[in-house]
Amino acid sequence: MEGGYALYTMTKKKEETDLFVPRLVTTEENFAPGHRACIGCGEALAVRHVCKALGRNVIIVNATGCIEVFSSVLPQTSWRVPWIHTIFENVGAVVSGIESAYKARVRKGKIPDKNVKFVGFAGDGGTSDIGLQALSGAMERGHNFLYCCFDNEAYMNCLPSSSLIMTEEGLKRIIELKKGEKVYAFDQKNHELVVKRCEGVFDNGTREIYELRTLHHQIEATPNHPFLVLKRSGRGRENELMWKILSDIRPGDMVVVLKDLGEGEPYKFDPIRKTVVGDYKVTHVNEIELPAGTSPDLMKYLGIYVGDGWTRVKKGEIGFALPEGTEERNALIQLHSDIFGNSIGREDEMYVYINSVNLAKFIDHLGFGSGAKDKTIPGWVFTLPKDEKESFVAGLLLSDGYKTGNSSRYVSASKELLKRLRLLLQTMEYRVGKIHLQRKERGTVCVDRTLLKDAEWGAIAFSKRNAWNTEKYLSQYKYQNFLIESEHFEMEEVKEVRAAGKEPTFDLHVEDAHNFIADGVVVHNTGIQRSSSTPYGAWTTTAPVGKKSIGQATWKKNMPEIAVAHKIPYVATACPSYPFDLMDKVKRGLEIEGPAYVHILSPCPTGWRSPPELTIEIGRLAVETGVFPLYEVINGEYRLSFDFTDLKPVREYMKPQRRFRHLTEDVIEKIQARVEEEYAKLREKAGVK
Amino acid sequence: MKKEKVVGLEGSFAVSEAVRMANADVIAAYPITPQTHIVERLSEMVAEGELDAEFICVESEHSAMSACVGASAGGARVFTCTAGQGLELMHEVLYIPSSMRLPVVAVVANRALSAPLSVWCDHSDMMAVRDIGWIQMLAENNQQAFDLTLCAFRIAEDNEVLFPTMVHIDGFHLSHVIEDMRLPDAEEVAGFIPDYKHPFALDPDKPVSMGCYGPPFIYPETKRAQEVAFEKVMPKILETWKVFGDRFGRYYAPVEKYRMGDAKIALLTMGSYSETAMLAIDELRAKGEDVGLIRLRLWRPFPFKEFREAVKGVEVLVVLDRCVSFGMGGPVCSEVKSALYDQQKKPHVVGFIGGLGGRDIPIEGFEYMIQSALEKVKAIERGEEVETEMIGIRE
Ligand code: SF4
């Protein structure tokens, strides 16, 4: 929308709001401003609306959760009405106690009857998981109370989504992992490298992250994530390893890191479908022989490609930016003919071109990326034999690296590439320093070339590690480095632990060993608390996040229906995006004699990874797509608050929320079908034709 | 002239009578053997209109305690009762009334804990809740069960106390046994228990926030405040028991002595076995031995002063535990030892564990403990290590 028009409508809307709203809604705030909810928190907004509808003559019971934490940090409180919080899962029972106390005391003439109302507040976990029993008991006993469930679908946490995990199939991003995949783990008893089954990947929402840095590694994780740390038992006694959570780790602690992944095997490529003459619009193809698997030569070739190459699949072109007469160009030309058995197509002063649509397809398929900024090292490279990895590194050094003395230096514009290269080198007995970022302006000379535009680069330096002189200093090393005899692991000193902002987080569950190797460091998997609540399917919270998996998808526990099944007089769903509807429902629930249940969808920008300014919008989309329909059930009779004959596609609801971004088309299709089915059932119950 | 009746009552009914006379407002409980008779009797009383209270038939003990917390915060006089596994299920919630100063009164019919399943008595359940800020006292007969339950309301609700209170009666030994006892006149009792008013009950006219969130910068201060408040509990307990004694003629003390006169050997027990132990002491005294009995009436707050007073001059103290603290011996014994640690002159303490899961200890059992304790002391004096012995075990 154009800025001017938006501003105009906003001012206009504000004028209208200021004029009409005070006549419709009280301006009294019983939930005081100044609480500590996140920006754009739908839950805080919903609580505010609910409190307006409740008025002053209430007693509120609150479960443990966001609301309690952001509204009652001692010695302050946001509550202008009597309010009590005890624990997570007992709101139903506490409310029934308060209501009974009031009834008894009024009856016994100890206090006058002022028609006080009793209200329970809880999140989705405190309602539909752990708190369900207490709520069910209270509804069954028929106490006179209103229960509001603020459904924000929140979960626990662990490693950021950028974490790179060592698996049997190579290095993978944590969000690429699937249940059943094999990951490397540290066998705590024998200090060996073992392969374990991953039993699940969990999306844990956006969390606060700390960064741990050692000389050669760095990793981010949530402060409660455990790492394997050396516990010195004193001279003469065996040292031990123990788990310590990140926020307790101090500089000087030693953590277990991976140093060598052992010998690998050549990688067999998935065959690609070659373009042949006769395909649509194809009259001529340059024949090329494509290798079936890796070899040292091919890896070196690919090393050069990562530094200086590009592919244009549509055009059927591979190119390398290698200036004429350089060692690199000569090496490339030689390699090319050795591997593919044909010669380079075209050369000029700056570039080398090969015209082969199948070669372009092949290289594109290997997963090295194509632009300078998004070049990367695909996971399978980590599984290669040492000599092939070395050739790959040699290729890299030919293009964008150089050697000074014993140490090599590699420069790249792709941070991801550097991060992965660092981890790759660390599986090959290299010591690697941290990634140095630098900005270079146009015209500066960088690795023998003049930059054509401003650029950001990163560089790492690395060198082969010297063998320990164990003959001479064994006991001393042993004291310094507990894992000296391990082929695959060693200890590194922590240099720094610091807060690193908020990021989406994930966690794995690994059988037996209960640990895995993330960013080269041994970390523990932690227990996950799954929330059973997300509109029509907890697929976002518990499903292993993978390419084709809705495997573990469990559809949402339908709490409003569970409430209806208790035969209570009033059940409703509401959303702060529809404030008047919400307030009406709260008032109705309050007035009705007996238990009333209102389920409020409360968008949580932090957990849903959505822009805070879209909270209201997302709430509306949830309703308009049928994901969260608004309805009431009064004494068993269904009534739709809003009906849509044409639901918007659920895709529109999901799009602004990054928690859904891993879902593929077929999964979304499935959800779409389910939502439509449920919506149809609901309409039927409401008697809408 | 005191108006009172002598009646034969089951321990469970004695407790129910106390709750009725205290005129409780809200009762929330879930039945569990051996506490069932209390729940049954109370719900009957409410149904018959003998007691004007709200009886909340909760779906679990966890909810029972939660409802009590709510009711107490709402300003009501609140009662609950449970046993064994039920107390364990309540455990999480038990911390709330003690930290939020809500004077819930609970009677626990002590029961062993699974596994294996046992509905019979021992003290494992009460020992698991000893560190959570509740006042804990033990009755050894039905009269005491009645008296202590009454006193519990007055102690807990005293505005200088405001701590939840647990009265322990041994499951079956008390809960299901009929004994004759004195039942005071209801009016007398009403005079003894003042009307209850919590100073900050939840009330829309005077809003308060209860149970806020305590980050590290303030949590320790709240715990310190709780500790300071708990230190003021002891004088109030003593005062209440004194007033009770003056009114009804039965005096209680945190540590009660039986034939301790010049005793060189003392036996220490808690709960219903104290009565059997008394018989054993009588027999031994008849044989001319210098033995006496110490009964702990109050378990929390631990009566350090009174206990140290009671063991003055004692050379051997024999402690019976009805609970195992695995890897540690008996919990009562270890607390007793720590209470004596700083004393210049202290007895040898010998611990025994017995009566687990309802296993009986006959009079000879107590005599055996005393005899064998003397042997063990000799061994201790020789510098040998002596382990806590579990008595009455079939090897
Ligand atoms: S936005 Fe989400 S995480 Fe933040 S306070 Fe609201 S509900 Fe809690």
Side-chain angles (χ1 to χ4, degrees), chain A residues 72 74 77 80 83-85 89-90 93 97-98 100 105 107-108 110 114 133 141, chain B residues 23-25 52 54 56 59-60 62 66 74-75 92 205 208-213:
Chain A
S72 79
L74 276 174
T77 177
R80 293 190 175 133
W83 177 92
I84 181 173
H85 154 259
E89 70 277 27
N90 66 352
I98 298 181
S100 302
R105 293 174 77 219
R107 197 172 58 230
K108 288 173 146 183
K110 293 187 178 170
K114 290 190 185 160
Q133 179 182 322
R141 293 189 297 272
Chain B
N23 194 11
D25 300 320
D52 187 2
E54 283 293 312
I56 315 179
E59 79 295 336
S60 73
H62 192 278
S66 301
E92 183 195 12
D205 291 339
V208 291
S209 295
M210 286 191 189
C212 293
Y213 173 55

mmCIF file of all heavy atoms in Angstrom, chain A residues 72 74 77 80 83-85 89-90 93 97-98 100 105 107-108 110 114 133 141, chain B residues 23-25 52 54 56 59-60 62 66 74-75 92 205 208-213:
data_model
loop_
_atom_site.group_PDB
_atom_site.id
_atom_site.type_symbol
_atom_site.label_atom_id
_atom_site.label_comp_id
_atom_site.label_asym_id
_atom_site.label_seq_id
_atom_site.Cartn_x
_atom_site.Cartn_y
_atom_site.Cartn_z
ATOM 1 N N SER A 72 3.439 -10.293 36.415
ATOM 2 C CA SER A 72 3.494 -10.318 37.880
ATOM 3 C C SER A 72 4.902 -10.437 38.428
ATOM 4 O O SER A 72 5.127 -11.064 39.444
ATOM 5 C CB SER A 72 2.661 -11.490 38.403
ATOM 6 O OG SER A 72 3.385 -12.694 38.279
ATOM 7 N N LEU A 74 7.615 -9.919 40.663
ATOM 8 C CA LEU A 74 7.732 -9.291 41.981
ATOM 9 C C LEU A 74 8.735 -8.146 41.919
ATOM 10 O O LEU A 74 9.738 -8.281 41.248
ATOM 11 C CB LEU A 74 8.228 -10.322 43.006
ATOM 12 C CG LEU A 74 7.170 -11.224 43.642
ATOM 13 C CD1 LEU A 74 7.876 -12.270 44.510
ATOM 14 C CD2 LEU A 74 6.170 -10.438 44.454
ATOM 15 N N THR A 77 2.892 -5.702 39.904
ATOM 16 C CA THR A 77 1.793 -6.490 39.382
ATOM 17 C C THR A 77 1.004 -5.640 38.396
ATOM 18 O O THR A 77 0.957 -4.420 38.517
ATOM 19 C CB THR A 77 0.877 -6.997 40.506
ATOM 20 O OG1 THR A 77 -0.213 -7.703 39.909
ATOM 21 C CG2 THR A 77 0.327 -5.857 41.345
ATOM 22 N N ARG A 80 -5.338 -5.151 38.492
ATOM 23 C CA ARG A 80 -6.123 -4.267 39.349
ATOM 24 C C ARG A 80 -7.334 -4.994 39.930
ATOM 25 O O ARG A 80 -8.173 -4.393 40.577
ATOM 26 C CB ARG A 80 -6.572 -3.033 38.565
ATOM 27 C CG ARG A 80 -5.393 -2.155 38.187
ATOM 28 C CD ARG A 80 -5.820 -0.820 37.636
ATOM 29 N NE ARG A 80 -4.663 0.008 37.400
ATOM 30 C CZ ARG A 80 -4.444 0.693 36.282
ATOM 31 N NH1 ARG A 80 -5.319 0.652 35.308
ATOM 32 N NH2 ARG A 80 -3.358 1.411 36.156
ATOM 33 N N TRP A 83 -6.102 -11.459 42.051
ATOM 34 C CA TRP A 83 -5.478 -12.384 41.097
ATOM 35 C C TRP A 83 -4.605 -13.353 41.858
ATOM 36 O O TRP A 83 -3.904 -12.969 42.787
ATOM 37 C CB TRP A 83 -4.653 -11.533 40.132
ATOM 38 C CG TRP A 83 -3.855 -12.254 39.097
ATOM 39 C CD1 TRP A 83 -4.248 -12.576 37.830
ATOM 40 C CD2 TRP A 83 -2.496 -12.714 39.211
ATOM 41 N NE1 TRP A 83 -3.235 -13.206 37.165
ATOM 42 C CE2 TRP A 83 -2.145 -13.312 37.981
ATOM 43 C CE3 TRP A 83 -1.545 -12.696 40.226
ATOM 44 C CZ2 TRP A 83 -0.900 -13.873 37.745
ATOM 45 C CZ3 TRP A 83 -0.301 -13.257 39.991
ATOM 46 C CH2 TRP A 83 0.010 -13.839 38.760
ATOM 47 N N ILE A 84 -4.655 -14.614 41.484
ATOM 48 C CA ILE A 84 -3.797 -15.607 42.151
ATOM 49 C C ILE A 84 -3.213 -16.570 41.127
ATOM 50 O O ILE A 84 -3.883 -16.977 40.184
ATOM 51 C CB ILE A 84 -4.571 -16.373 43.257
ATOM 52 C CG1 ILE A 84 -3.655 -17.395 43.956
ATOM 53 C CG2 ILE A 84 -5.815 -17.071 42.718
ATOM 54 C CD1 ILE A 84 -4.288 -18.067 45.164
ATOM 55 N N HIS A 85 -1.942 -16.867 41.333
ATOM 56 C CA HIS A 85 -1.285 -17.884 40.514
ATOM 57 C C HIS A 85 -0.701 -18.914 41.466
ATOM 58 O O HIS A 85 -0.130 -18.552 42.489
ATOM 59 C CB HIS A 85 -0.170 -17.250 39.683
ATOM 60 C CG HIS A 85 0.915 -18.215 39.324
ATOM 61 N ND1 HIS A 85 2.122 -18.261 39.983
ATOM 62 C CD2 HIS A 85 0.948 -19.214 38.405
ATOM 63 C CE1 HIS A 85 2.860 -19.235 39.469
ATOM 64 N NE2 HIS A 85 2.175 -19.830 38.519
ATOM 65 N N GLU A 89 -0.820 -26.591 36.370
ATOM 66 C CA GLU A 89 -1.832 -27.496 35.847
ATOM 67 C C GLU A 89 -3.081 -27.610 36.716
ATOM 68 O O GLU A 89 -3.777 -28.603 36.657
ATOM 69 C CB GLU A 89 -1.213 -28.879 35.642
ATOM 70 C CG GLU A 89 -0.859 -29.637 36.914
ATOM 71 C CD GLU A 89 0.468 -29.272 37.530
ATOM 72 O OE1 GLU A 89 0.908 -28.122 37.325
ATOM 73 O OE2 GLU A 89 1.058 -30.113 38.219
ATOM 74 N N ASN A 90 -3.364 -26.619 37.558
ATOM 75 C CA ASN A 90 -4.461 -26.834 38.496
ATOM 76 C C ASN A 90 -5.502 -25.722 38.511
ATOM 77 O O ASN A 90 -6.254 -25.594 39.465
ATOM 78 C CB ASN A 90 -3.899 -27.005 39.906
ATOM 79 C CG ASN A 90 -3.246 -25.736 40.402
ATOM 80 O OD1 ASN A 90 -3.084 -24.781 39.649
ATOM 81 N ND2 ASN A 90 -2.889 -25.697 41.651
ATOM 82 N N ALA A 93 -9.029 -26.573 39.479
ATOM 83 C CA ALA A 93 -9.243 -26.916 40.886
ATOM 84 C C ALA A 93 -9.190 -25.672 41.775
ATOM 85 O O ALA A 93 -9.992 -25.525 42.693
ATOM 86 C CB ALA A 93 -8.202 -27.935 41.327
ATOM 87 N N GLY A 97 -12.115 -24.143 44.230
ATOM 88 C CA GLY A 97 -11.931 -23.858 45.654
ATOM 89 C C GLY A 97 -12.404 -22.453 46.007
ATOM 90 O O GLY A 97 -13.121 -22.245 46.990
ATOM 91 N N ILE A 98 -12.032 -21.481 45.189
ATOM 92 C CA ILE A 98 -12.401 -20.096 45.484
ATOM 93 C C ILE A 98 -13.913 -19.910 45.399
ATOM 94 O O ILE A 98 -14.530 -19.284 46.260
ATOM 95 C CB ILE A 98 -11.681 -19.127 44.521
ATOM 96 C CG1 ILE A 98 -10.168 -19.253 44.705
ATOM 97 C CG2 ILE A 98 -12.122 -17.693 44.764
ATOM 98 C CD1 ILE A 98 -9.353 -18.352 43.841
ATOM 99 N N SER A 100 -16.166 -22.183 45.836
ATOM 100 C CA SER A 100 -16.805 -22.855 46.969
ATOM 101 C C SER A 100 -16.649 -22.028 48.239
ATOM 102 O O SER A 100 -17.573 -21.948 49.051
ATOM 103 C CB SER A 100 -16.184 -24.232 47.184
ATOM 104 O OG SER A 100 -16.327 -24.995 46.025
ATOM 105 N N ARG A 105 -19.144 -19.006 52.481
ATOM 106 C CA ARG A 105 -19.059 -17.840 53.371
ATOM 107 C C ARG A 105 -20.286 -16.954 53.226
ATOM 108 O O ARG A 105 -20.759 -16.377 54.206
ATOM 109 C CB ARG A 105 -17.763 -17.075 53.106
ATOM 110 C CG ARG A 105 -16.535 -17.897 53.528
ATOM 111 C CD ARG A 105 -15.243 -17.234 53.159
ATOM 112 N NE ARG A 105 -14.912 -16.143 54.063
ATOM 113 C CZ ARG A 105 -14.375 -14.991 53.678
ATOM 114 N NH1 ARG A 105 -14.132 -14.784 52.399
ATOM 115 N NH2 ARG A 105 -14.085 -14.056 54.552
ATOM 116 N N ARG A 107 -23.259 -18.087 52.382
ATOM 117 C CA ARG A 107 -24.347 -18.828 53.003
ATOM 118 C C ARG A 107 -24.299 -18.736 54.513
ATOM 119 O O ARG A 107 -25.313 -18.640 55.184
ATOM 120 C CB ARG A 107 -24.259 -20.291 52.560
ATOM 121 C CG ARG A 107 -25.527 -21.073 52.784
ATOM 122 C CD ARG A 107 -25.447 -22.441 52.153
ATOM 123 N NE ARG A 107 -24.322 -23.205 52.681
ATOM 124 C CZ ARG A 107 -23.432 -23.830 51.913
ATOM 125 N NH1 ARG A 107 -23.526 -23.785 50.599
ATOM 126 N NH2 ARG A 107 -22.437 -24.501 52.453
ATOM 127 N N LYS A 108 -23.072 -18.728 55.049
ATOM 128 C CA LYS A 108 -22.932 -18.686 56.505
ATOM 129 C C LYS A 108 -23.013 -17.259 57.040
ATOM 130 O O LYS A 108 -22.798 -17.014 58.224
ATOM 131 C CB LYS A 108 -21.585 -19.299 56.899
ATOM 132 C CG LYS A 108 -21.542 -20.807 56.728
ATOM 133 C CD LYS A 108 -20.130 -21.322 56.968
ATOM 134 C CE LYS A 108 -20.142 -22.691 57.613
ATOM 135 N NZ LYS A 108 -18.772 -23.152 57.903
ATOM 136 N N LYS A 110 -21.003 -14.820 56.523
ATOM 137 C CA LYS A 110 -19.726 -14.212 56.882
ATOM 138 C C LYS A 110 -19.393 -13.033 55.981
ATOM 139 O O LYS A 110 -18.676 -12.120 56.372
ATOM 140 C CB LYS A 110 -18.608 -15.250 56.821
ATOM 141 C CG LYS A 110 -18.769 -16.310 57.897
ATOM 142 C CD LYS A 110 -17.589 -17.250 57.955
ATOM 143 C CE LYS A 110 -17.823 -18.248 59.081
ATOM 144 N NZ LYS A 110 -16.873 -19.336 59.073
ATOM 145 N N LYS A 114 -22.095 -10.289 46.806
ATOM 146 C CA LYS A 114 -21.919 -9.197 45.851
ATOM 147 C C LYS A 114 -21.844 -9.720 44.423
ATOM 148 O O LYS A 114 -21.324 -9.045 43.536
ATOM 149 C CB LYS A 114 -20.649 -8.420 46.181
ATOM 150 C CG LYS A 114 -20.780 -7.616 47.460
ATOM 151 C CD LYS A 114 -19.591 -6.688 47.578
ATOM 152 C CE LYS A 114 -19.606 -5.942 48.894
ATOM 153 N NZ LYS A 114 -18.259 -5.438 49.208
ATOM 154 N N GLN A 133 -7.039 -32.558 33.407
ATOM 155 C CA GLN A 133 -7.746 -33.308 34.448
ATOM 156 C C GLN A 133 -8.456 -32.362 35.414
ATOM 157 O O GLN A 133 -9.638 -32.539 35.716
ATOM 158 C CB GLN A 133 -6.758 -34.192 35.189
ATOM 159 C CG GLN A 133 -7.409 -34.974 36.291
ATOM 160 C CD GLN A 133 -6.407 -35.810 37.064
ATOM 161 O OE1 GLN A 133 -5.479 -36.373 36.500
ATOM 162 N NE2 GLN A 133 -6.586 -35.890 38.358
ATOM 163 N N ARG A 141 -18.089 -31.025 37.917
ATOM 164 C CA ARG A 141 -18.752 -30.702 39.183
ATOM 165 C C ARG A 141 -19.699 -29.517 39.041
ATOM 166 O O ARG A 141 -20.488 -29.241 39.927
ATOM 167 C CB ARG A 141 -17.700 -30.401 40.262
ATOM 168 C CG ARG A 141 -16.866 -31.589 40.676
ATOM 169 C CD ARG A 141 -16.012 -31.269 41.886
ATOM 170 N NE ARG A 141 -15.031 -30.230 41.656
ATOM 171 C CZ ARG A 141 -13.798 -30.445 41.186
ATOM 172 N NH1 ARG A 141 -13.406 -31.652 40.900
ATOM 173 N NH2 ARG A 141 -12.971 -29.446 41.002
ATOM 174 N N ASN B 23 -16.261 -26.045 62.546
ATOM 175 C CA ASN B 23 -17.121 -25.376 61.579
ATOM 176 C C ASN B 23 -16.369 -24.966 60.306
ATOM 177 O O ASN B 23 -16.376 -23.795 59.907
ATOM 178 C CB ASN B 23 -17.774 -24.158 62.251
ATOM 179 C CG ASN B 23 -18.926 -23.610 61.424
ATOM 180 O OD1 ASN B 23 -19.370 -24.233 60.456
ATOM 181 N ND2 ASN B 23 -19.399 -22.431 61.791
ATOM 182 N N ALA B 24 -15.734 -25.947 59.692
ATOM 183 C CA ALA B 24 -14.971 -25.675 58.470
ATOM 184 C C ALA B 24 -15.915 -25.189 57.367
ATOM 185 O O ALA B 24 -17.086 -25.564 57.335
ATOM 186 C CB ALA B 24 -14.260 -26.938 58.021
ATOM 187 N N ASP B 25 -15.409 -24.313 56.481
ATOM 188 C CA ASP B 25 -16.235 -23.777 55.394
ATOM 189 C C ASP B 25 -16.136 -24.630 54.133
ATOM 190 O O ASP B 25 -17.109 -24.817 53.420
ATOM 191 C CB ASP B 25 -15.799 -22.359 55.026
ATOM 192 C CG ASP B 25 -15.932 -21.413 56.199
ATOM 193 O OD1 ASP B 25 -16.931 -21.518 56.932
ATOM 194 O OD2 ASP B 25 -15.026 -20.578 56.380
ATOM 195 N N ASP B 52 -22.221 -27.081 58.006
ATOM 196 C CA ASP B 52 -22.530 -26.190 56.889
ATOM 197 C C ASP B 52 -21.237 -25.876 56.146
ATOM 198 O O ASP B 52 -20.537 -24.929 56.470
ATOM 199 C CB ASP B 52 -23.169 -24.906 57.422
ATOM 200 C CG ASP B 52 -23.651 -24.022 56.283
ATOM 201 O OD1 ASP B 52 -23.511 -24.439 55.108
ATOM 202 O OD2 ASP B 52 -24.146 -22.923 56.555
ATOM 203 N N GLU B 54 -18.997 -26.414 52.129
ATOM 204 C CA GLU B 54 -18.983 -26.870 50.738
ATOM 205 C C GLU B 54 -18.072 -28.077 50.680
ATOM 206 O O GLU B 54 -16.890 -27.992 51.030
ATOM 207 C CB GLU B 54 -18.411 -25.777 49.825
ATOM 208 C CG GLU B 54 -19.373 -24.664 49.517
ATOM 209 C CD GLU B 54 -20.555 -25.120 48.676
ATOM 210 O OE1 GLU B 54 -20.334 -25.809 47.673
ATOM 211 O OE2 GLU B 54 -21.702 -24.791 49.054
ATOM 212 N N ILE B 56 -16.130 -30.323 48.254
ATOM 213 C CA ILE B 56 -15.755 -30.448 46.834
ATOM 214 C C ILE B 56 -15.218 -31.847 46.595
ATOM 215 O O ILE B 56 -14.179 -32.228 47.104
ATOM 216 C CB ILE B 56 -14.681 -29.417 46.428
ATOM 217 C CG1 ILE B 56 -15.015 -28.029 46.964
ATOM 218 C CG2 ILE B 56 -14.524 -29.383 44.908
ATOM 219 C CD1 ILE B 56 -13.979 -26.989 46.601
ATOM 220 N N GLU B 59 -11.370 -34.644 41.726
ATOM 221 C CA GLU B 59 -11.065 -35.839 40.945
ATOM 222 C C GLU B 59 -9.667 -36.376 41.260
ATOM 223 O O GLU B 59 -9.266 -37.382 40.691
ATOM 224 C CB GLU B 59 -11.241 -35.535 39.463
ATOM 225 C CG GLU B 59 -10.124 -34.776 38.764
ATOM 226 C CD GLU B 59 -9.906 -33.365 39.252
ATOM 227 O OE1 GLU B 59 -10.840 -32.768 39.796
ATOM 228 O OE2 GLU B 59 -8.781 -32.860 39.098
ATOM 229 N N SER B 60 -8.916 -35.729 42.150
ATOM 230 C CA SER B 60 -7.598 -36.246 42.529
ATOM 231 C C SER B 60 -7.115 -35.488 43.757
ATOM 232 O O SER B 60 -7.644 -34.435 44.091
ATOM 233 C CB SER B 60 -6.583 -36.026 41.398
ATOM 234 O OG SER B 60 -6.246 -34.663 41.322
ATOM 235 N N HIS B 62 -4.261 -34.058 43.884
ATOM 236 C CA HIS B 62 -3.603 -32.855 43.378
ATOM 237 C C HIS B 62 -4.613 -31.717 43.334
ATOM 238 O O HIS B 62 -4.354 -30.598 43.757
ATOM 239 C CB HIS B 62 -3.042 -33.159 41.989
ATOM 240 C CG HIS B 62 -2.109 -32.120 41.460
ATOM 241 N ND1 HIS B 62 -2.557 -30.965 40.864
ATOM 242 C CD2 HIS B 62 -0.758 -32.055 41.462
ATOM 243 C CE1 HIS B 62 -1.513 -30.242 40.501
ATOM 244 N NE2 HIS B 62 -0.410 -30.878 40.856
ATOM 245 N N SER B 66 -5.170 -28.215 45.507
ATOM 246 C CA SER B 66 -5.331 -26.983 44.726
ATOM 247 C C SER B 66 -6.614 -26.263 45.117
ATOM 248 O O SER B 66 -6.632 -25.042 45.281
ATOM 249 C CB SER B 66 -5.373 -27.294 43.235
ATOM 250 O OG SER B 66 -4.193 -27.947 42.850
ATOM 251 N N GLY B 74 -9.421 -17.566 49.258
ATOM 252 C CA GLY B 74 -10.705 -16.876 49.225
ATOM 253 C C GLY B 74 -11.237 -16.582 50.618
ATOM 254 O O GLY B 74 -12.352 -16.095 50.763
ATOM 255 N N GLY B 75 -10.465 -16.910 51.653
ATOM 256 C CA GLY B 75 -10.827 -16.510 53.009
ATOM 257 C C GLY B 75 -11.590 -17.550 53.803
ATOM 258 O O GLY B 75 -12.099 -17.258 54.879
ATOM 259 N N GLU B 92 3.384 -31.566 44.903
ATOM 260 C CA GLU B 92 3.716 -30.334 44.184
ATOM 261 C C GLU B 92 2.955 -29.141 44.738
ATOM 262 O O GLU B 92 3.495 -28.050 44.862
ATOM 263 C CB GLU B 92 3.382 -30.509 42.691
ATOM 264 C CG GLU B 92 3.786 -29.291 41.884
ATOM 265 C CD GLU B 92 3.160 -29.265 40.506
ATOM 266 O OE1 GLU B 92 2.243 -30.053 40.243
ATOM 267 O OE2 GLU B 92 3.598 -28.419 39.702
ATOM 268 N N ASP B 205 -13.104 -5.929 46.402
ATOM 269 C CA ASP B 205 -13.034 -4.605 47.009
ATOM 270 C C ASP B 205 -11.623 -4.230 47.439
ATOM 271 O O ASP B 205 -11.301 -3.052 47.597
ATOM 272 C CB ASP B 205 -13.968 -4.532 48.230
ATOM 273 C CG ASP B 205 -15.427 -4.585 47.788
ATOM 274 O OD1 ASP B 205 -15.687 -4.269 46.602
ATOM 275 O OD2 ASP B 205 -16.285 -4.977 48.603
ATOM 276 N N VAL B 208 -5.696 -7.946 45.593
ATOM 277 C CA VAL B 208 -4.289 -8.287 45.814
ATOM 278 C C VAL B 208 -3.850 -9.265 44.721
ATOM 279 O O VAL B 208 -4.688 -9.926 44.119
ATOM 280 C CB VAL B 208 -4.060 -8.987 47.176
ATOM 281 C CG1 VAL B 208 -4.267 -8.039 48.328
ATOM 282 C CG2 VAL B 208 -4.971 -10.218 47.324
ATOM 283 N N SER B 209 -2.557 -9.305 44.473
ATOM 284 C CA SER B 209 -2.011 -10.321 43.565
ATOM 285 C C SER B 209 -1.271 -11.342 44.408
ATOM 286 O O SER B 209 -0.392 -10.984 45.179
ATOM 287 C CB SER B 209 -1.035 -9.690 42.574
ATOM 288 O OG SER B 209 -1.705 -8.804 41.725
ATOM 289 N N MET B 210 -1.617 -12.589 44.259
ATOM 290 C CA MET B 210 -0.962 -13.649 45.037
ATOM 291 C C MET B 210 -0.190 -14.569 44.107
ATOM 292 O O MET B 210 -0.670 -14.899 43.034
ATOM 293 C CB MET B 210 -2.012 -14.512 45.741
ATOM 294 C CG MET B 210 -2.675 -13.879 46.908
ATOM 295 S SD MET B 210 -3.626 -15.178 47.754
ATOM 296 C CE MET B 210 -4.519 -14.181 48.914
ATOM 297 N N GLY B 211 0.966 -15.006 44.565
ATOM 298 C CA GLY B 211 1.708 -16.008 43.801
ATOM 299 C C GLY B 211 2.359 -15.432 42.563
ATOM 300 O O GLY B 211 2.264 -15.992 41.477
ATOM 301 N N CYS B 212 3.032 -14.299 42.730
ATOM 302 C CA CYS B 212 3.698 -13.662 41.591
ATOM 303 C C CYS B 212 4.942 -14.435 41.188
ATOM 304 O O CYS B 212 5.279 -15.442 41.769
ATOM 305 C CB CYS B 212 4.052 -12.223 41.937
ATOM 306 S SG CYS B 212 2.581 -11.221 42.147
ATOM 307 N N TYR B 213 5.597 -13.868 40.220
ATOM 308 C CA TYR B 213 6.767 -14.497 39.615
ATOM 309 C C TYR B 213 8.007 -13.930 40.306
ATOM 310 O O TYR B 213 8.121 -12.719 40.468
ATOM 311 C CB TYR B 213 6.713 -14.142 38.133
ATOM 312 C CG TYR B 213 7.885 -14.517 37.286
ATOM 313 C CD1 TYR B 213 8.338 -15.828 37.227
ATOM 314 C CD2 TYR B 213 8.513 -13.565 36.492
ATOM 315 C CE1 TYR B 213 9.389 -16.151 36.409
ATOM 316 C CE2 TYR B 213 9.564 -13.898 35.668
ATOM 317 C CZ TYR B 213 10.007 -15.193 35.629
ATOM 318 O OH TYR B 213 11.043 -15.519 34.819
#
